[in-house]
């Protein structure tokens, strides 16, 4: 093995990349950064001009880009590691480039080989010092005519992108389970890659697992593959590395239709198929609005409860939390959301995490359009109204105004910090604003064309705004002003031009709530039998501060809110219980925190416990719950409780 001793100069380059001084955050779109879109490429030479503006990667993707990843890995549950090789194809954008820089984090690199003229040779490489956020740059010297490298490596049991569950942590209790979460920058804890959404790769993989387990990836899946411990995958469409995904466990499959189905542990498979039975209608609605689904199969996998998100849009195989299986299809907007990412996010990708709203805001918008198409305006407006309440709170709580801009500031500390309600809900509301001003008849075809024109490319906020000006605004110059657009994208808070969602159903709920608060009505007499989960959420979230214990008790007695099985309703109620010091809810809250690992719930519950001086209780619960949480959730809650 030849390990390169870096000259001081190249180390300095690595260090510079790691802590590059943030660019001014208020350059109002005048930045010269050029995205990956074809419009900037010189197609005759297939060479693209790329400015490196993702500070969360070490990769020299402006000079050399990986194009294909071929994994050959043992999934070793005893050692809790993936162990094997990664072969990487690449192309030079800069013909003078002499090295390929990859991201790694907590990987053990065993050897690097390089292929030149069909022959494998020992490679020369170096690893930079480990950074707790970024990991280590793996720099491989490129021989003149080299066309592929092969890295033998293994992951670490503490890889943030992988959760290894013991049999006891699964529902079936007999077999272990592994699942990955690569977004935002954890693909590098799974394999050496250029871990930036500005780069796209195709991939193939061979996984060896214990024979009784099934392995799945964000790639083609044959639902009838024999369960024999040897699985092959191919992902022919280029994806950003954050969409690499693996799940291995005692997983079963049931079809919804000929190209949509559900994978889950047996205990929840039938219930999941029933809960998500309307996914084909969602696909139809989405395709009707924005063009065909381009990824082949679309399957869902219902993961163990420690999955830290509601859903993750891994291509061809969305990952979902089991807390969506409420029994009444009330939380399926998350499926609409992950499916919508097949257009916004997976097809057209934010080139940089500062532009996360291009993924999440667009997706939240499309999600709502699909929910409206399937279930009508009333439900869509209720979801908008609940979201808007959340956005107002997030804006009020923002640590600094720049964090409420759609274009996030360049000095973001962690890519996860870009994924707030601002990216999701302010982002979606920007598109509602555009829809209202240009009219659906013009805005819908425009968005469809946008997805088509940028398919399989990564784009920046500025690319979108330019496209909007050229393809829509130019035809209807009076629909919006430049100042209005700037206020949305580069300004703080919620612009005055935002839609005010008004739900008649919510107004009725509010009126009843007032009657109860005024003492004109007993809780037991509130006609709530036909309330949807949304109406319950509105009722609970809008309870005023300062309720007495007697009032909490009255609500609880009338509606059995403590211990309710709908995770969203339970979460909303426990937040109020914590704020109001309503102790009888604590045993059930304890159970909830011990059994649910979904970040959206548990980060805020621990945060609220801390804010209301119940840190000792929170620490006691967390001490027991922590080992069951995903590494991402552990990091986040460690920070919340130690803040
Ligand atoms: N892509 C996100 C999940 C994510 C965000 C993973 C940031 C890692 C870093 C996913 O599409 C998502 O937004 N999930 C939401 C669902 C929702 C808003 C309907 C969730 O998990 O709650
Ligand atoms: Zn999303």
């Amino acid at each position: 093995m030849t390990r390169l001793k870096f000259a001081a100069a190249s180390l300095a380059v690595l260090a510079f990349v790691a802590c590059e001084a943030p660019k001014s955050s208020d350059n109002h779109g005048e930045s010269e950064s050029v995205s990956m879109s074809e419009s900037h490429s010189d197609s005759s030479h297939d060479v693209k001009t790329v400015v490196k503006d993702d500070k969360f990667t070490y990769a020299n993707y402006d000079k050399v880009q990986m194009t294909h990843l071929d994994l050959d890995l043992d999934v070793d549950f005893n050692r809790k590691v993936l162990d094997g090789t990664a072969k990487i194809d690449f192309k030079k954008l800069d013909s003078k480039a002499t090295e390929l820089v990859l991201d790694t984090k907590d990987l053990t690199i065993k050897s690097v080989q390089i292929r030149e003229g069909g022959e494998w040779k020992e490679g020369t490489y170096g690893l930079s010092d480990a950074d707790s956020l970024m990991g280590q740059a793996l720099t491989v010297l490129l021989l003149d005519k080299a066309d592929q490298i092969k890295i033998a490596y293994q992951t670490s049991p503490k890889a943030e992108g992988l959760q290894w569950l013991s049999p006891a942590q699964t529902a079936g209790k007999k077999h272990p389970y592994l699942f990955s979460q690569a977004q935002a920058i954890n693909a590098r804890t799974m394999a050496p890659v250029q871990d930036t959404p500005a780069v796209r790769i195709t991939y193939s993989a061979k996984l060896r697992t214990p024979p009784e387990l099934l392995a799945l990836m964000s790639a083609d899946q044959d639902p009838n593959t024999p369960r024999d411990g040897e699985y092959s995958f191919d992902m022919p469409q280029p994806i950003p590395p954050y969409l690499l995904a693996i799940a291995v466990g005692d997983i079963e499959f049931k079809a919804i239709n000929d190209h949509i189905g559900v994978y889950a542990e047996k205990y929840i498979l039938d219930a999941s198929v029933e809960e998500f039975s309307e996914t084909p209608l969602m696909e139809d609605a989405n395709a009707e609005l924005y063009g065909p689904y381009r990824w082949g199969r679309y399957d869902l996998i219902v993961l163990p409860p420690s999955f830290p998100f509601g859903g993750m849009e891994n291509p061809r195989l969305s990952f979902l939390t089991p807390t969506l299986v409420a029994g009444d299809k009330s939380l399926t907007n998350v499926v609409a959301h992950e499916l919508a990412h097949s257009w916004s996010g997976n097809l057209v990708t934010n080139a940089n995490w500062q532009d996360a709203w291009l993924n999440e805001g667009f997706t939240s918008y499309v999600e709502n359009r699909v929910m409206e198409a399937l279930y009508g305006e009333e439900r869509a407006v209720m979801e908008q109204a609940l979201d808007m309440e959340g956005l107002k709170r997030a804006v009020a709580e923002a640590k600094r105004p720049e964090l409420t801009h759609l274009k996030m500031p360049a000095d973001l500390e962690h890519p996860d910090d870009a994924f707030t309600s601002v990216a999701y809900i302010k982002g979606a509301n920007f598109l509602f604003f555009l829809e209202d001003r240009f009219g659906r008849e013009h805005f819908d075809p425009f968005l469809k064309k946008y997805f088509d024109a940028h398919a399989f490319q990564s784009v920046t906020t500025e690319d979108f705004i330019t496209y909007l000006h050229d393809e829509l605004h130019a035809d209807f110059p009076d629909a919006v002003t430049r100042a209005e657009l700037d206020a949305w994208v580069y300004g703080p808070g919620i612009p005055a031009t935002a839609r005010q969602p008004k739900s008649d159903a919510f107004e009725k709920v509010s009126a009843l709530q007032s009657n109860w608060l005024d003492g004109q009505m007993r809780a037991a007499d509130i006609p709530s039998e036909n309330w949807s989960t949304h109406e319950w959420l509105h009722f609970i979230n809008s309870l005023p501060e300062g309720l007495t214990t007697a009032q909490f008790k009255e609500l609880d007695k009338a509606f059995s809110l403590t211990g309710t099985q709908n995770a969203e309703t339970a979460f909303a109620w426990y937040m109020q219980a914590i704020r109001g010091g309503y102790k009888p809810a604590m045993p059930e809250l304890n159970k909830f925190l011990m059994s649910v690992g979904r970040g959206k719930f548990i980060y805020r519950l621990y945060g609220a416990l801390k804010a209301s001086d119940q840190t000792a209780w929170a620490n006691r619960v967390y001490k027991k719950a922590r080992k069951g949480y995903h590494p991402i959730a552990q990091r986040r809650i460690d920070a919340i409780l130690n803040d």
Side-chain angles (χ1 to χ4, degrees), residues 181 183-184 308-313 333-334 337-338 341 360 363-364 367 416 419 424 598 600:
Q181 172 56 44
Q183 197 183 20
F309 295 99
M312 175 65 212
E313 65 269 27
N333 68 299
V334 178
H337 180 98
E338 303 317 331
H341 271 304
E360 298 301 345
T363 297
S364 300
E367 163 200 332
D416 289 359
F419 290 81
Y424 286 83
R598 185 173 171 190
K600 171 183 161 184

Side-chain angles (χ1 to χ4, degrees), residues 117-288:
E119 205 184 310
W120 285 105
K121 298 173 181 164
E122 197 86 355
T124 305
Y125 70 97
L127 276 170
S128 66
D129 288 344
D131 176 88
S132 62
L133 172 66
M134 300 269 291
Q136 292 174 282
L138 170 61
T139 302
V140 182
L141 284 196
L142 296 180
L143 303 175
D144 227 14
K145 302 222 159 43
D147 61 355
Q148 201 177 45
I149 63 172
K150 180 154 111 185
I151 301 165
Y153 77 100
Q154 74 181 45
T155 62
S156 158
K158 62 171 208 246
E160 192 175 285
L162 298 170
Q163 189 176 19
W164 299 86
L165 297 175
S166 67
Q169 291 172 296
T170 66
K173 308 281 178 215
K174 286 209 192 85
H175 300 284
Y177 203 110
L178 164 69
F179 66 88
S180 67
Q181 172 56 44
Q183 197 183 20
I185 54 168
N186 281 327
R188 65 191 69 179
T189 70
M190 295 158 59
V193 287
Q194 291 188 308
D195 198 5
T196 166
V199 167
R200 304 185 88 89
I201 56 172
T202 52
Y203 82 88
S204 45
K206 275 204 180 64
L207 299 181
R208 281 169 297 281
T209 73
E212 62 280 11
L213 302 186
L214 179 65
L216 302 166
M217 290 191 82
S218 51
D220 66 337
Q221 320 286 339
D222 172 5
N224 300 314
T225 191
R227 197 185 273 229
D228 57 6
E230 299 228 356
Y231 304 96
S232 299
F233 303 90
D234 192 33
M235 182 43 148
Q237 287 118 334
I239 56 163
Y242 75 84
L243 294 176
L244 276 172
I246 304 179
V248 181
D250 186 12
I251 301 166
E252 299 191 8
F253 174 80
K254 208 160 173 180
I256 293 180
N257 69 13
D258 64 349
H259 68 286
I260 299 179
V262 182
Y263 291 93
E265 282 188 87
K266 197 180 174 63
Y267 84 102
I268 201 170
L269 183 60
D270 288 339
S272 302
V273 169
E274 177 53 30
E275 197 80 25
F276 306 133
S277 63
E278 283 161 7
T279 308
L281 301 175
M282 292 177 173
E283 187 205 331
D284 293 346
N286 224 321
E288 173 71 28

Side-chain angles (χ1 to χ4, degrees), residues 409-608:
D411 61 353
L412 268 187
E413 277 172 31
H414 193 292
D416 289 359
D417 298 344
F419 290 81
T420 63
S421 297
V422 171
Y424 286 83
I425 310 308
K426 185 178 176 181
N429 273 276
F430 176 39
L431 301 188
F432 288 136
F433 161 74
L434 294 176
E435 176 199 311
D436 291 345
R437 290 296 184 86
F438 289 105
R440 275 193 182 175
E441 69 280 24
H442 300 121
F443 191 63
D444 289 357
F446 161 76
L447 261 198
K448 183 178 186 174
K449 206 164 61 171
Y450 164 77
F451 290 133
D452 209 42
H454 301 92
F456 299 107
Q457 295 171 31
S458 304
V459 296
T460 61
T461 296
E462 289 66 38
D463 292 330
F464 172 69
I465 298 297
T466 303
Y467 193 76
L468 175 72
H469 278 304
D470 294 351
E471 300 296 326
L472 190 60
H473 197 196
D475 294 340
F476 305 97
D478 300 333
V480 294
T481 67
R482 180 81 211 197
E484 285 171 332
L485 292 177
D486 276 354
W488 276 99
V489 179
Y490 302 108
I494 307 170
T497 54
R499 215 187 244 185
Q500 309 288 339
K502 232 176 70 63
S503 155
D504 295 341
F506 282 5
E507 284 184 2
K508 285 187 196 133
V509 169
S510 294
L512 290 164
Q513 189 189 73
S514 300
N515 290 345
W516 173 67
L517 288 166
D518 296 348
Q520 297 171 35
M521 194 179 215
R522 293 179 315 160
D525 295 332
I526 296 177
S528 63
E529 303 74 35
N530 297 321
W531 281 4
S532 63
T533 299
H534 302 76
E535 286 158 294
W536 277 114
L537 291 175
H538 175 68
F539 180 83
I540 297 169
N541 289 338
S542 62
L543 286 169
E545 262 180 59
L547 289 190
T548 63
T549 302
Q551 284 175 309
F552 272 106
K553 275 204 175 121
E554 190 191 347
L555 290 178
D556 216 2
K557 184 151 181 272
F559 308 125
S560 308
L561 292 167
T562 299
T564 179
Q565 286 311 297
N566 186 301
E568 289 280 354
T569 318
F571 162 69
W573 176 245
Y574 298 145
M575 287 297 288
Q576 295 291 9
I578 294 168
R579 282 198 207 110
Y582 175 57
K583 295 280 186 256
M586 299 305 259
E588 286 297 326
L589 171 58
N590 182 3
K591 275 194 212 158
F592 188 88
L593 290 168
M594 291 299 296
S595 58
V596 175
R598 185 173 171 190
K600 171 183 161 184
F601 302 145
I602 64 178
Y603 305 156
R604 291 202 39 230
L605 288 169
Y606 282 109

